[in-house]
Amino acid sequence: MKTTVVLTLAISAQATGNILLSKGMKSLVVSDLAGNTYWFSLFLQAAGSPTIWIATAFLTLFFLLFTAALSWADLSLVLPATSFGYVVNVASAHYFLGEAVSPLRWVGTALISIGVVVVARSDTKKVESDRKKERIPTEVRG
Amino acid sequence: MKTAIAVLVIVLASSAGEVLIARGLKQIGEISTLQLRELLVIGGRILTKRDFLAGLFSMAISFCAFLAVLSWADLSYTIPATSLSYVISTLGARLVLQEKINPLRWSGTILVCFGVALISLP
């Protein structure tokens, strides 16, 4: 339950951060010249954009929640679980940024969602604690 | 080509970062308090872990590359493309962190990857 709540908050913060970040970066006006000047100018403009600062704050919040979850849950559980953020990101990019999303991409997001549900059900720590509650002996795991 | 190289940097740096950060956090133990003072103390202890700091540095590199890509590519393309890091991080969790990954978890992760592959198609 704790993992679910923390990861849901983390995914929401990440989606908000990414939308704002994309909006902020696209609004920068940098000439298309290659080389060091391009990156320097891009960095300076990004550092002066309030949208990018707010986006960074949301992504920092995501990182803190993600880190907290890693203190008790497996990386191999937390990572695929946060991939649900991709579904939220694609949907938000479509609705808030007006980006075109093909039917194939929507199918992809559906597969990711199913994958996340499957990964969530593979949480052996949770299964083991449920078994203890039901007083069913757990199998010996090698 | 420029996008492909940047995506590769994002993927490798973020996977290394996630594995290192997870290793650092496992040394700290479960965070189960919501009290600000205790959280700050735990935060201070986390900042002394070399694994965590190395992971943070790795993720910072990944984030900078991500920022750069977003200035020329669509978010709905970039995000799915960088999600290759899920496979590499899961392998890292198995090999470096010695996590037990049961068949159900592998299946879910593979489903996520197929979904990501579909999303990444133009």
Side-chain angles (χ1 to χ4, degrees):
Chain A
M1 183 62 189
K2 186 163 81 165
T3 313
T4 312
V5 172
V6 169
L7 291 182
T8 304
L9 287 173
I11 288 166
S12 311
Q14 190 193 33
T16 312
N18 281 329
I19 288 294
L20 291 172
L21 199 59
S22 189
K23 231 175 183 159
M25 290 305 285
K26 294 254 170 28
S27 69
L28 302 183
V29 186
V30 183
S31 62
D32 208 19
L33 294 169
N36 295 336
T37 333
Y38 171 82
W39 297 106
F40 189 65
S41 169
L42 189 70
F43 176 78
L44 275 188
Q45 282 200 50
S49 157
T51 312
I52 288 171
W53 280 108
I54 297 168
T56 311
F58 271 104
L59 291 173
T60 306
L61 177 65
F62 160 74
F63 180 71
L64 291 176
L65 293 167
F66 173 78
T67 307
L70 282 182
S71 78
W72 67 78
D74 278 351
L75 178 65
S76 59
L77 170 78
V78 173
L79 263 190
T82 51
S83 78
F84 189 71
Y86 287 85
V87 177
V88 182
N89 273 314
V90 171
S92 323
H94 177 64
Y95 289 111
F96 298 122
L97 299 179
E99 291 181 9
V101 179
S102 66
L104 209 56
R105 278 187 181 169
W106 287 119
V107 174
T109 58
L111 275 185
I112 292 174
S113 307
I114 298 167
V116 170
V117 172
V118 171
V119 168
R121 292 181 66 90
S122 75
D123 190 355
T124 47
K125 284 175 185 167
K126 185 177 172 292
V127 172
E128 276 167 13
S129 69
D130 286 350
R131 277 183 185 164
K132 274 175 199 160
K133 275 181 211 160
E134 291 166 16
R135 291 175 180 244
I136 296 170
T138 54
E139 62 195 274
V140 179
R141 290 174 190 273
Chain B
M1 187 64 187
K2 186 168 75 166
T3 310
I5 292 171
V7 164
L8 194 69
V9 171
I10 297 171
V11 168
L12 292 180
S14 74
S15 291
E18 279 153 1
V19 170
L20 284 167
I21 285 171
R23 195 159 76 172
L25 264 291
K26 289 293 181 302
Q27 292 162 9
I28 294 288
E30 180 172 352
I31 300 170
S32 53
T33 178
L34 283 175
Q35 287 188 323
L36 189 61
R37 189 174 290 183
E38 283 181 49
L39 283 173
L40 287 175
V41 171
I42 295 171
R45 276 176 54 215
I46 291 173
L47 287 177
T48 64
K49 295 291 173 196
R50 202 174 293 173
D51 279 343
F52 176 82
L53 294 175
L56 204 61
F57 180 69
S58 196
M59 287 187 102
I61 292 173
S62 172
F63 182 69
C64 288
F66 178 62
L67 270 186
V69 172
L70 280 187
S71 71
W72 70 75
D74 271 357
L75 178 67
S76 51
Y77 167 78
T78 310
I79 296 267
T82 56
S83 71
L84 261 179
S85 67
Y86 283 91
V87 194
I88 296 165
S89 299
T90 305
L91 275 175
R94 174 73 189 84
L95 300 173
V96 180
L97 304 174
Q98 314 289 329
E99 286 181 11
K100 283 174 192 161
I101 302 169
N102 60 26
L104 200 60
R105 189 165 296 183
W106 275 121
S107 319
T109 307
I110 288 165
L111 269 177
V112 167
C113 292
F114 272 115
V116 167
L118 280 182
I119 280 180
S120 303
L121 292 174

